Amino acid sequence: MVEPVLEIRDLRKNFGALKVTDGVNLDLRPGEIHALIGPNGAGKSTLIHQISGSIRQDSGTIRFLGQDMAGLGMAARASLGLGRSFQISSLAPEFSALRNVMLAVQARQGPSFRFFRPVMADKSLTDPAMAMLERVGLAARSNLPAAELSHGERRQLEIAIALALGSKAFLFDEPMAGMGPEGSRSLTKFLGGLRREAPILLVEHDMDAVFALADRISVLVYGRIIASGKVDDIRNDPEVRRAYLGEAA
Amino acid sequence: MAAREPTVNTLLALLLMAVPLVALAIGEPFYITLATRIAILALAAVGLNIALGLGGLVSFGHAAFFGLGGYVAAILATHAFNGEPLFLGIPGTTSMPVIWFVAIAICALIALPIGAISLRTAGVYFIMITLAFAQMIYYFAISWPAYGGEDGLSLYVRNSLPLVNTAKPLPFFLVCYALLMLALALFWLIRGSRFGAALQAARQNATRLSAVGIAPFNINLAAFVMSAMMTGLAGALFADLNRFASPSMLSWHMSGELIVLIILGGKGRLFGPVAGAMLYVFFEYALGGITERWQFFLGLILLGVVLFARGGLLGLLAGKVQHG
Ligand SMILES: Nc1ncnc2c1ncn2[C@@H]1O[C@H](COP(=O)(O)OP(=O)(O)O)[C@@H](O)[C@H]1O
Ligand SMILES: [Mg+2]
């Protein structure tokens, strides 16, 4: 079997008495979209936070490209190639869309302790950043401050940033949320192609998108993965229907 | 609209330059001293503006660096005069460039641990911990009789610079003015650079910066140290202006004054500290001549700025910040 890009073993995290992550095992293989679904409050975002390093797990291991992530902060994991988007967009609000992406380009090029050369005149930053905005369809909005973009556009911008990082795995937390049907459709198409660049762990509520995109699905309920497998197996799993899909239908 | 800020900046720079020339023409050298005071306070605030304006790091302890710079100038000069070595046989000096270098280096050395510890916290805790460090240095200075204790430390004559007669008001003003312009050029370069981009992103959203792989702590620490170095240089000049290093340079009032300058002028703006220092010294002088309670009126003005003109004087004159 191919080595997974991302490998999570027996991950546990409590918030007080709440077992928000309760013995999760999960992996992400090259070339795939692995969808993580589950009801609100199941602990999906908290799992993404632990993988990206913004929250520390209580126990268990996270391995990325074969390396144990223990002791590495968010910035270190990002520079190793873990690119993420946030459920609630997290951008530099005063900076233009372009400058938000340029930040990722500059991070990828090495340390930021360079004090003199103006970034706006640096084609090695602006050109790749613009190219990424073009890929996600935001080129026309490149000069707008992130704060003035629509919900959906902010989502696209976060994805452009993750692309600019040259990520080796993507963690996307509900990228479709707040997008109209048109936006969801075009993003679905885009993500479908993106898996060839790097595998995607996709948290998503939009079931049309999930069934259209996912190679595998895992279902998280109260911090536990109650089922994991191919799309059809999950669709027909009685426990999943009861715990999640039944409720959503 | 975007083009207005450079014009405003140029006018402010020319205005500050004009004051001593006019003062000389009308035979009122006192105004040269006032202009010098503006230039030095502005220089100190340009330093703080790196941390506070670009990085959003509200240091309430920058008096520590301002005072350290001042004491470096006074202590080195004292040893040069009495001929006693400092320690390990190192002699004192009255050479400004050497004093500047030492002041900047010492501020960097001291800002490094203060910043490394303070930056573990954020928000109001950061404000308090920087204040605490500065107060520690303040009490250390007033309890050290060898260097004047509570009385401060006088300089017999102004320190010297090759080819410049620093004892005369105008040449000394020009030295301070030139250093201010140099600091402004540095601030401008830093703000537009990769480092500046990361620093401003850290202020807007530290999580975003981490998510692209840049650790905000390292960026903020570097900014804090650079900021302290500039403010320290200003302190050395201030001691030379007054021929006196006073413990009040180290006190929390001074830290507050520097923050007030920046808020008056416009936080994060290139010429914010210059505009702020001009306003501040003007009020201090104009209102101070009328009433002892000028700081009360300054307080009112500050309140007005915070409530109605968030961008300070530069915000009023040049509009909102342009981020390119
Ligand atoms: N920092 C936190 N402290 C305490 N409880 C939290 C924290 N973050 C999330 N939770 C709780 O953990 C549970 C899972 O949240 P989350 O991971 O956001 O779920 P999901 O993304 O699946 O909707 C929720 O009950 C939420 O209230
Ligand atoms: Mg969530």
Side-chain angles (χ1 to χ4, degrees):
Chain A
M1 210 186 86
V2 259
E3 275 288 297
V5 175
L6 184 67
E7 191 177 11
I8 295 162
R9 289 292 167 263
D10 199 28
L11 201 71
R12 288 171 195 278
K13 174 81 192 174
N14 294 350
F15 286 134
L18 176 72
K19 291 181 170 173
V20 67
T21 307
D22 191 8
V24 165
N25 290 292
L26 191 85
D27 53 30
L28 186 64
R29 299 173 194 151
E32 76 167 345
I33 293 183
H34 188 154
L36 182 68
I37 64 172
N40 267 327
K44 304 180 296 295
S45 293
T46 307
L47 185 60
I48 299 284
H49 287 315
Q50 291 171 84
I51 300 170
S52 66
S54 56
I55 293 181
R56 287 290 147 91
Q57 71 263 35
D58 295 341
S59 65
T61 56
I62 299 167
R63 300 179 73 82
F64 175 56
L65 301 172
Q67 185 184 346
D68 190 347
M69 293 290 104
L72 295 186
M74 194 171 171
R77 294 182 199 193
S79 10
L80 287 174
L82 260 178
R84 69 170 292 188
S85 76
F86 295 81
Q87 184 176 357
I88 297 164
S89 306
S90 187
L91 295 158
E94 297 167 24
F95 276 175
S96 65
L98 184 69
R99 290 207 67 174
N100 269 279
V101 184
M102 284 165 63
L103 211 52
V105 179
Q106 100 177 33
R108 190 182 181 181
Q109 286 180 5
S112 287
F113 293 97
R114 291 164 69 174
F115 300 95
F116 300 118
R117 185 155 174 213
V119 289
M120 295 316 288
D122 186 343
K123 286 223 171 300
S124 78
L125 294 175
T126 52
D127 284 354
M130 203 60 203
M132 294 307 155
L133 286 175
E134 257 153 35
R135 278 190 67 186
V136 302
L138 269 183
R141 312 281 278 166
S142 64
N143 283 324
L144 252 76
E148 287 173 28
L149 297 175
S150 75
H151 263 299
E153 287 171 336
R154 277 183 234 165
R155 286 290 149 70
Q156 288 164 275
L157 179 52
E158 291 211 338
I159 291 172
I161 294 171
L163 290 175
L165 274 177
S167 302
K168 299 193 177 71
F170 295 108
L171 313 168
F172 291 148
D173 196 352
E174 301 199 20
M176 316 272 174
M179 275 192 188
E182 183 55 39
S184 294
R185 262 195 303 280
S186 68
L187 186 56
T188 303
K189 207 170 141 221
F190 181 77
L191 294 183
L194 187 59
R195 86 186 89 191
R196 283 191 295 275
E197 255 166 74
I200 305 172
L201 181 63
L202 178 69
V203 174
E204 190 46 67
H205 268 303
D206 181 338
M207 281 303 141
D208 292 338
V210 167
F211 289 137
L213 284 173
D215 299 293
R216 285 190 298 151
I217 300 180
S218 293
V219 185
L220 190 73
V221 178
Y222 294 124
R224 293 178 146 274
I225 303 251
I226 61 162
S228 184
K230 296 267 181 225
V231 175
D232 286 334
D233 301 338
I234 295 299
R235 231 200 278 243
N236 300 322
D237 185 313
E239 201 186 346
V240 174
R241 296 193 78 92
R242 194 174 59 249
Y244 183 56
L245 292 177
E247 164 193 298
Chain B
M1 184 185 122
R4 212 157 71 204
E5 186 160 350
T7 316
V8 171
N9 294 347
T10 310
L11 288 176
L12 286 170
L14 291 175
L15 183 62
L16 181 56
M17 187 69 207
V19 171
L21 298 181
V22 171
L24 209 61
I26 61 172
E28 292 275 6
F30 170 69
Y31 291 112
I32 304 180
T33 305
L34 228 47
T36 311
R37 190 176 157 81
I38 291 174
I40 294 172
L41 288 176
L43 175 61
V46 173
L48 180 57
N49 208 20
I50 296 175
L52 193 154
L54 298 181
L57 306 169
V58 184
S59 166
F60 200 12
H62 260 49
F65 310 118
F66 194 66
L68 277 169
Y71 272 90
V72 164
I75 290 172
L76 287 178
T78 303
H79 282 279
F81 270 95
N82 64 22
E84 286 170 23
L86 275 154
F87 50 85
L88 303 173
I90 298 172
T93 177
T94 58
S95 154
M96 278 190 189
V98 176
I99 286 169
W100 297 343
F101 177 80
V102 174
I104 290 171
I106 285 187
C107 283
L109 282 177
I110 293 191
L112 196 62
I114 291 183
I117 294 169
S118 307
L119 285 166
R120 305 272 165 207
T121 67
V124 76
Y125 297 101
F126 180 80
I127 298 177
M128 286 301 129
I129 197 166
T130 47
L131 169 66
F133 275 118
Q135 288 301 95
M136 275 166 54
I137 295 176
Y138 171 76
Y139 284 112
F140 182 75
I142 62 172
S143 64
W144 196 3
Y147 292 122
E150 292 193 45
D151 297 331
L153 193 57
S154 292
L155 287 81
Y156 298 102
V157 291
R158 199 167 276 158
N159 292 304
S160 58
L161 194 62
L163 309 176
V164 180
N165 182 357
T166 56
K168 288 183 125 180
L170 187 64
F172 184 63
F173 166 82
L174 290 174
V175 168
C176 297
Y177 186 86
L179 288 172
L180 172 63
M181 291 302 136
L182 192 66
L184 287 166
L186 270 174
F187 181 93
W188 181 81
L189 280 173
I190 290 171
R191 188 179 59 178
S193 71
R194 290 179 185 222
F195 177 80
L199 180 59
Q200 292 168 85
R203 163 171 55 78
Q204 296 170 51
N205 184 348
T207 308
R208 171 38 68 198
L209 193 63
S210 305
V212 299
I214 302 174
F217 179 85
N218 302 339
I219 298 290
N220 285 337
L221 182 57
F224 188 81
V225 171
M226 286 192 285
S227 165
M229 289 159 77
M230 259 187 209
T231 302
L233 173 63
L237 294 170
F238 200 70
D240 253 324
L241 173 67
N242 302 322
R243 297 204 182 94
F244 182 50
S246 151
S248 71
M249 287 177 74
L250 289 161
S251 88
W252 64 270
H253 298 91
M254 189 66 225
S255 298
E257 204 171 304
L258 293 177
I259 296 176
V260 167
L261 292 186
I262 288 181
I263 292 174
L264 277 178
K267 184 160 62 76
R269 308 298 282 258
L270 177 61
F271 268 68
V274 179
M278 284 173 146
L279 272 182
Y280 188 89
V281 173
F282 175 76
F283 286 135
E284 184 182 41
Y285 174 73
L287 292 175
I290 305 165
T291 164
E292 293 255 293
R293 296 183 192 82
W294 68 275
Q295 294 203 338
F296 169 78
F297 294 98
L298 182 75
L300 284 184
I301 289 162
L302 196 62
L303 204 63
V305 168
V306 172
L307 288 177
F308 305 112
R310 274 289 176 81
L313 190 65
L314 259 111
L316 281 179
L317 297 177
K320 279 179 64 172
V321 188
Q322 305 281 326
H323 270 295

